[in-house]
């Protein structure tokens, strides 16, 4: 049986993952409204990935005999002044998520829940990847944005990201 403090912390993280999911959907819709369908597609794939993160936590809580208690999801921003600022906001958001995952590991260790701490290692590694992915895109914008055709080329490149069915995401990421 999982301790109440861990259950509460995981439920908070489920909410945060669904907020991330909502945020990337909002960003994707904004890109689509600006005619940047490749970036919209990339962000939509990321929206799916966040749902996968939430489902991983849901499955884990169920497996440990805990209760999944879903809460209200805050509304995400809906407007940005440029495509680069969408990705800069996403990178800042991922830094926050990393800090939340670190706090979760601290709680697991304080509660001597080594199973939860092992489970959370996947998310520690995932956050390294998430930060690096968004940083790479922000760097590309900063290096290339002065060049004519840059936005078109980056939109085309990001549009090649494959989307995955949410039902398979939690197991296959
Ligand atoms: Fe679920 Fe982007 O971290």
């Amino acid at each position: 049986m999982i301790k109440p403090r861990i259950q509460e912390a995981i439920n908070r993280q489920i909410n945060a993952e669904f907020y991330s999911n909502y945020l990337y959907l909002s960003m994707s819709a904004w890109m689509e409204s600006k005619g940047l369908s490749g970036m919209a597609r990339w962000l939509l794939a990321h929206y799916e990935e966040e749902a996968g993160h939430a489902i991983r936590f849901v499955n884990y809580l169920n497996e440990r005999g805990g209760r999944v208690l879903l809460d209200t999801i805050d509304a995400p921003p809906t407007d940005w002044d440029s495509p680069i600022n969408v990705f800069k906001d996403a990178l800042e958001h991922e830094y926050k998520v990393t800090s939340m995952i670190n706090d979760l590991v601290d709680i697991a260790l304080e509660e001597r829940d080594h199973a939860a701490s092992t489970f959370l290692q996947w998310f520690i590694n995932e956050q390294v990847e998430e930060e690096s992915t968004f940083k790479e895109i922000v760097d590309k914008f900063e290096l290339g944005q002065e060049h004519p055709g840059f936005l078109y080329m980056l939109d085309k490149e990001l549009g090649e990201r494959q989307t995955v069915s949410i039902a398979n995401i939690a197991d296959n990421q």
Side-chain angles (χ1 to χ4, degrees):
M1 191 66 185
I2 201 154
K3 289 185 180 165
R5 191 172 168 221
I6 309 259
Q7 173 176 296
E8 197 185 308
I10 291 181
N11 272 311
R12 254 198 320 273
Q13 193 62 35
I14 291 170
N15 188 270
E17 298 295 343
F18 278 123
Y19 175 78
S20 301
N21 163 270
Y22 224 29
L23 174 65
Y24 292 123
L25 183 59
S26 185
M27 288 174 165
S28 173
W30 185 85
M31 289 293 189
E32 199 65 67
S33 78
K34 302 293 171 194
L36 294 164
S37 59
M39 293 188 193
R41 182 182 167 85
W42 193 96
L43 287 158
L44 197 65
H46 214 76
Y47 144 88
E48 291 174 326
E49 204 168 303
E50 296 299 346
H53 293 172
I55 292 164
R56 263 182 193 257
F57 279 111
V58 166
N59 288 347
Y60 185 71
L61 211 42
N62 283 333
E63 211 173 279
R64 293 285 306 274
R67 285 289 325 279
V68 173
L69 304 169
L70 298 181
D71 204 349
T72 312
I73 303 164
D74 288 342
T78 52
D79 208 8
W80 289 267
D81 57 14
S82 63
I84 186 176
N85 282 339
V86 170
F87 284 99
K88 279 187 173 174
D89 278 4
L91 178 59
E92 283 306 315
H93 178 70
E94 289 303 332
Y95 289 149
K96 270 189 225 149
V97 175
T98 299
S99 159
M100 291 183 80
I101 298 287
N102 286 337
D103 289 347
L104 247 176
V105 174
D106 287 347
I107 292 171
L109 291 174
E110 281 163 26
E111 295 294 326
R112 297 181 49 80
D113 188 335
H114 298 293
S117 156
T118 301
F119 163 75
L120 289 166
Q121 290 310 305
W122 185 90
F123 284 95
I124 296 278
N125 295 331
E126 177 68 1
Q127 282 311 118
V128 171
E129 200 184 304
E130 299 254 295
E131 286 185 14
S132 153
T133 303
F134 281 104
K135 174 87 173 48
E136 201 179 299
I137 296 174
V138 170
D139 287 347
K140 277 185 183 171
F141 266 106
E142 283 175 344
L143 279 170
Q145 62 187 351
E146 303 297 327
H147 297 276
F150 165 77
L151 206 55
Y152 169 78
M153 275 161 53
L154 187 60
D155 189 57
K156 195 165 180 303
E157 179 189 324
L158 295 181
E160 283 161 14
R161 181 174 179 178
Q162 296 301 308
T163 55
V164 189
S165 151
I166 288 176
N168 297 324
I169 279 177
D171 295 330
N172 297 329
Q173 276 176 353

